[in-house]
Amino acid sequence: MDAINSLLDGFAVALTLQNLGLAVIGCFLGTIIGALPGLGPANGVAILIPLAFTLGLPATPALILLTSVYYGAMYGGRISSILLNIPGDEPALMTTLDGYPMARKGQAGEALALSGIASFVGAFIATIGLVFLAPLLVKVALLFGPAEYFALYTLAFATLGGVASRNQAKAAIAAAIGLGIAMIGVDHQTGVPRFTFNDVYLYDGIHFLVAIVGLFAISEVFLFLEHRGEGEAGAGRLTLGRVTAPLRMIRQTIGAMLRSTVLGFIAGVLPGAGASLGSFISYTFEKRLSDKDNTFGKGDPRGVAAPEAGNNAAAGGALVPMLALGVPGSGTTAVLLAMLLTLNVTPGPLLFQSNPDVVWGLIAALFLANVMLLLINIPMVSLFVRVLLVPPRFLMPTVAMISFVGIYGISGSSFDLIVMIAFGVLGYLLRKLDVPLVPIILGVLLGNEMEKNLRRALTISDGDWSILWSSPLAIGLWTFAIVGFLAPLIVGRYLRPKIADEELGEGADPD
Amino acid sequence: MSDRVFGVVCILLAAFFIWQATEIETGFIVDPLGPSAFPIIVGVVLGVGGIYPIVRPDPAPDWPAPARLLEIVFAVAVMIAYAMVLPRIGFVVATAVAAGLLGWRLGSGPVAAAVGGVAIAVGIYVVFHLILGLSLARGPWGF
């Protein structure tokens, strides 16, 4: 049981005072970020990365802080879903369906407690899954050569475009934009400048944090400006009642939680799916299975437990490909990958061998963060409810200014700030046009690796392109990529959250 | 219509990108593929992808009314001005003004916006600079 031993070593890393402290701060901030409508896990983590970086935290503590934020945001999203009928972030969308009716029935406290427990069950079991699945995946990944890696990256883009987006062509455009941005700067292999227009600032390329913060955080400010005054939540009358879930209710929903955890975890592991899909699949499956008396949508506790267990399990599952292969499966894990790259830690199979303390320390910290989150989220939930009352007219300028602080801290140049604003405008336009932003981020992050592997493969074969599909492993990856991209076209649109289309058609924050 | 414009922009961008890629001068270190092949592939994907929204556009998004669009342009202008003057006048003053202006346009009253701007600037300064030790832009007055 190698995994267990490594995990115990991980606990030794995580159980230092500093790391525990960072996990507490991360959980706390994450819950707030998740709870606030307009700030989701992806843009919340994106704003915090430059800060963690400029504060000079080493890799393990920085990763612990930010993954705690990630897990915390998954917990926090349910609060405004249940109380205000506004999802705090996209994965929490399904929780509104039964959570808000429960709150209307005077069961807000019960719904919050139950969803907290469901989040805990989902995230905890998914983290156990991560412990066992990630090392297995690493064993496979060690067999990968450059050709297989190139196929794997293509697979990530293909499934991201196929399963998780509404329009394959727009996803392909987004991926190409991201890859194109990654090409800017001096070519790593031959040292020639590309797309720099002889501008010194561009020789280093565009820093992916600048792109990420601009696309996710600054564009959010513009969307808020556009929708100013619409749907200002009447949060004045919030009666919580007792924040406990009766034992009977837990017994009634435990089956739903466990089933949803499995579904959510699988959805998370698949590249390109992520937590929104996890909660959607969990809810629809549970509804089909147990909605015998037509109670779903009218405040059925199982309808609260299922999506919450599902999205938290997916959050854990999404870390599997990110850590084991270096290929993120969702928006937030892409952002976490950005942080690892900033810290000069390259995720992938070698990470498990060369930096086991980082990986296992992180996983141990996730277990601890989960317990903390359960403790924070049930007794202290009324504190977070008060945070919801902060009006966007103070929140959004703060978000913008913290973004500027973080990016300025990296390079201290006005040029980067202006590039960030440009990305903010681009992000706003693309969100209006319903072009997904996650493939752009993935392209910016993976572009150079992808090109490097392609060129290495062709150097090995001396220019013969057939090397790309010469091994069974590579053929398998290509097949999966093609199926992943085209299947949604053929199977129809069953996999896609239909409600998400209507309510969050624009500006949906990717998980 | 918006989608058609978007598709055309993508194709033009792809053409420009591919043209620039062919202009890359190769150095004396050469690998079989060279530095311009992958960008050309990316450009082709972008160009081909751009055809679809022209042929089958999605329903147009509801663009904001001109007044709101002006608000966004104003916010962009405030941010760019902020980025330019930040190193010259220092973090606290620049941030107080920028955050105040943004807050005002997001619906605060003038007084509340000014107070909010100062509070945000001082709050960030205290938390990130004094407590966490992050270096922020120093103006002529040292803050």
Side-chain angles (χ1 to χ4, degrees):
Chain A
M1 290 265 90
D2 282 351
I4 303 280
N5 282 333
S6 317
L7 185 62
L8 288 178
D9 292 341
F11 272 105
V13 175
L15 282 169
T16 63
L17 203 59
Q18 187 203 19
N19 289 345
L20 279 177
L22 286 171
V24 173
I25 296 172
C27 291
F28 197 78
L29 280 177
T31 309
I32 293 179
I33 286 170
L36 290 168
L39 268 183
N43 49 24
V45 176
I47 298 171
L48 291 174
I49 288 180
L51 294 175
F53 178 62
T54 39
L55 287 174
L57 287 177
T60 315
L63 201 57
I64 287 175
L65 174 69
L66 291 170
T67 38
S68 303
V69 172
Y70 172 43
Y71 266 37
M74 290 293 165
Y75 272 74
R78 76 194 206 286
I79 299 175
S80 59
S81 296
I82 291 172
L83 295 177
L84 306 178
N85 204 21
I86 301 170
D89 46 31
E90 203 191 347
L93 182 72
M94 305 309 289
T95 313
T96 57
L97 299 183
D98 275 288
Y100 186 63
M102 270 185 89
R104 297 275 305 263
K105 285 198 286 187
Q107 293 179 307
E110 277 105 325
L112 284 173
L114 181 69
S115 55
I117 294 167
S119 300
F120 176 77
V121 170
F124 198 81
I125 296 177
T127 315
I128 296 176
L130 169 65
V131 169
F132 292 101
L133 189 58
L136 283 181
L137 206 54
V138 163
K139 285 205 182 101
V140 179
L142 284 172
L143 304 172
F144 282 19
E148 284 80 8
Y149 267 108
F150 182 73
L152 178 69
Y153 291 138
T154 318
L155 165 68
F157 284 113
T159 50
L160 195 62
V163 180
S165 85
R166 284 172 273 272
N167 183 330
Q168 268 87 346
K170 286 184 175 175
I173 291 171
I177 293 175
L179 290 169
I181 292 167
M183 297 298 105
I184 297 171
V186 171
D187 174 29
H188 292 300
Q189 324 213 354
T190 55
V192 268
R194 298 191 289 183
F195 309 105
T196 57
F197 310 104
N198 290 323
D199 187 331
V200 254
Y201 284 118
L202 289 176
Y203 272 60
D204 279 342
I206 286 177
H207 199 292
F208 39 75
L209 286 180
V210 176
I212 290 174
V213 176
L215 286 173
F216 283 164
I218 300 294
S219 68
E220 194 70 46
V221 178
F222 298 145
L223 278 177
F224 256 91
L225 264 175
E226 183 193 332
H227 295 293
R228 185 187 75 196
E230 294 168 24
E232 294 247 319
R237 191 190 52 84
L238 292 175
T239 41
L240 275 188
R242 283 175 57 231
V243 188
T244 47
L247 213 58
R248 186 182 47 78
M249 197 182 268
I250 296 175
R251 212 175 302 135
Q252 184 201 352
T253 53
I254 188 76
M257 286 185 202
L258 293 176
R259 283 187 290 273
S260 306
T261 299
V262 174
L263 287 173
F265 184 72
I266 295 171
V269 171
L270 291 177
S276 305
L277 195 72
S279 71
F280 174 76
I281 291 179
S282 303
Y283 184 87
T284 20
F285 180 77
E286 197 55 39
K287 188 173 173 185
R288 260 178 222 160
L289 190 75
S290 35
D291 188 15
K292 297 197 178 69
D293 309 321
N294 241 335
T295 49
F296 272 62
K298 295 175 190 146
D300 190 312
R302 286 169 301 183
V304 175
E308 277 304 311
N311 79 35
N312 284 275
L319 288 172
V320 174
M322 199 276 273
L323 288 173
L325 304 174
V327 176
S330 67
T332 317
T333 44
V335 176
L336 288 172
L337 174 69
M339 188 203 50
L340 283 174
L341 296 175
T342 318
L343 295 163
N344 271 330
V345 176
T346 311
L350 294 176
L351 180 64
F352 281 72
Q353 294 176 338
S354 56
N355 296 58
D357 54 320
V358 173
V359 181
W360 294 103
L362 165 69
I363 295 175
L366 289 177
F367 280 110
L368 298 173
N370 242 317
V371 176
M372 288 175 201
L373 280 165
L374 186 67
L375 295 178
I376 289 178
N377 266 276
I378 293 187
M380 291 166 68
V381 78
S382 51
L383 187 73
F384 295 109
V385 171
R386 223 153 289 150
V387 172
L388 287 179
L389 302 175
V390 175
R393 62 179 187 271
F394 294 118
L395 180 67
M396 283 341 265
T398 314
V399 167
M401 291 303 139
I402 293 179
S403 309
F404 279 103
V405 167
I407 295 300
Y408 192 76
I410 295 176
S411 63
S413 85
S414 295
F415 179 78
D416 278 351
L417 294 182
I418 289 172
V419 174
M420 176 179 82
I421 299 165
F423 272 105
V425 175
L426 179 71
Y428 169 77
L429 292 175
L430 293 178
R431 282 162 95 159
K432 292 299 283 184
L433 290 167
D434 205 14
V435 177
L437 298 183
V438 179
I440 303 185
I441 298 299
L442 213 58
V444 175
L445 285 173
L446 298 180
N448 287 314
E449 276 301 300
M450 194 170 173
E451 184 189 16
K452 193 167 84 190
N453 280 297
L454 176 66
R455 283 164 76 171
R456 265 193 204 150
L458 288 175
T459 307
I460 293 169
S461 72
D462 203 20
D464 180 4
W465 287 80
S466 68
I467 187 172
L468 292 179
W469 44 87
S470 60
S471 78
L473 211 51
I475 293 173
L477 290 168
W478 283 112
T479 318
F480 196 15
I482 293 166
V483 170
F485 191 68
L486 295 180
L489 285 178
I490 300 158
V491 181
R493 310 196 145 193
Y494 297 115
L495 276 171
R496 244 175 345 93
K498 289 201 176 65
I499 300 162
D501 274 7
E502 291 154 22
E503 291 183 16
L504 285 174
E506 97 190 12
D509 175 37
D511 52 83
Chain B
M1 192 60 212
S2 300
D3 260 22
R4 296 222 161 101
V5 175
F6 175 63
V8 172
V9 170
C10 284
I11 290 172
L12 292 177
L13 189 67
F16 177 72
F17 195 77
I18 293 170
W19 171 62
Q20 281 288 317
T22 56
E23 297 278 295
I24 297 171
E25 293 166 32
T26 33
F28 46 89
I29 321 168
V30 191
D31 58 331
L33 205 54
S36 44
F38 190 70
I40 290 175
I41 298 173
V42 170
V44 170
V45 172
L46 181 61
V48 172
I51 296 171
Y52 186 85
I54 296 178
V55 181
R56 300 190 60 181
D58 287 340
D62 27 333
W63 292 103
R68 282 294 161 92
L69 209 58
L70 209 65
E71 297 268 354
I72 293 172
V73 173
F74 177 73
V76 173
V78 168
M79 287 181 184
I80 291 176
Y82 175 76
M84 310 280 275
V85 301
L86 181 63
R88 253 167 275 160
I89 64 168
F91 175 79
V92 175
V93 177
T95 305
V97 174
L101 285 172
L102 288 178
W104 173 52
R105 289 327 307 160
L106 280 160
S108 305
V111 180
V115 174
V118 172
I120 289 169
V122 173
I124 294 178
Y125 187 78
V126 169
V127 174
F128 290 109
H129 184 69
L130 297 183
I131 300 178
L132 296 175
L134 200 72
S135 64
L136 301 172
R138 291 171 72 97
W141 309 285
F143 52 81

